[in-house]
Amino acid sequence: MGWKDRLDVLHWMKTFQADTMVVHGVSMGAATTMMLSGETMPEGIKDLRFVEDCGYTSVWDEFANQLNEQFGLPPFPLMYSTSLLCQLRYGWNFSKASALEQVKKCSYPMLFIHGSTDTFVPTEMVHPLYEAKPGTKTLWVADGAEHALSYHEHKAEYISRVRTFCLDQ
């Protein structure tokens, strides 16, 4: 769900280090991108940008949303028991895996993208993420786009916005 994956991306950044990097992810990749953004970055990167497209606030929030949307179930008891099992088995829990908490620590520019009609990762999740991010940030809510379809529905604008964000900040 992105929490452990952030460490893989950090390893790749160290391995393939360059003075300029862009980390760009969609959906769970976007959550990974934001979860990575709060970590200490490798030395030598002079220009680093993050682009997240339709990422969720936290694993807890996304699972609770899907549990309700798909099955009409409340978080208790299933979310609590599975989060505890995840903690015991893998060393992290659903609350700890929080993109929201990580973006609060991010000092690099970030572009937030979300489709206006996304129900899988509800569009309203992007607003607390954007508000939590200090410093340089940009938000684009792609009109009429469902989950992970902002690029598909607005290809030219998507490319233009990402290019502008990465080159002109």
Side-chain angles (χ1 to χ4, degrees):
M1 294 300 295
W3 186 244
K4 293 280 192 168
D5 306 275
R6 82 192 194 289
L7 302 176
D8 293 333
V9 177
L10 188 60
H11 174 76
W12 297 335
M13 291 173 75
K14 291 175 182 174
T15 301
F16 300 105
Q17 193 164 5
D19 64 350
T20 302
M21 291 186 163
V22 175
V23 180
H24 183 174
V26 178
S27 193
M28 190 172 13
T32 302
T33 296
M34 290 186 287
M35 291 177 188
L36 168 68
S37 76
E39 299 298 320
T40 301
M41 295 298 138
E43 291 183 27
I45 303 173
K46 294 181 177 87
D47 188 11
L48 175 59
R49 314 287 169 125
F50 292 96
V51 179
E52 76 83 23
D53 181 345
C54 68
Y56 43 80
T57 50
S58 70
V59 172
W60 183 277
D61 292 344
E62 182 58 16
F63 281 175
N65 177 65
Q66 288 305 309
L67 193 60
N68 180 52
E69 287 293 315
Q70 292 186 31
F71 306 104
L73 294 173
F76 186 82
L78 191 56
M79 288 287 297
Y80 292 84
S81 58
T82 54
S83 182
L84 177 61
L85 288 172
C86 185
Q87 178 69 49
L88 294 171
R89 174 124 182 160
Y90 301 109
W92 64 276
N93 62 55
F94 297 168
S95 297
K96 184 177 181 180
S98 173
L100 186 63
E101 292 303 313
Q102 289 292 93
V103 299
K104 289 178 182 179
K105 301 184 283 184
C106 178
S107 61
Y108 299 96
M110 186 175 296
L111 171 59
F112 295 84
I113 301 170
H114 217 102
S116 70
T117 58
D118 189 344
T119 56
F120 188 73
V121 175
T123 305
E124 57 267 13
M125 282 194 185
V126 75
H127 299 291
L129 288 162
Y130 179 78
E131 292 302 319
K133 166 70 178 81
T136 304
K137 58 189 174 182
T138 302
L139 171 62
W140 175 44
V141 177
D143 190 43
E146 294 181 13
H147 184 68
L149 292 177
S150 297
Y151 175 79
H152 183 266
E153 299 294 325
H154 303 279
K155 188 174 185 176
E157 185 174 5
Y158 192 106
I159 291 168
S160 175
R161 285 179 179 266
V162 171
R163 179 179 289 134
T164 299
F165 179 78
C166 290
L167 298 177
D168 295 340
Q169 287 292 319

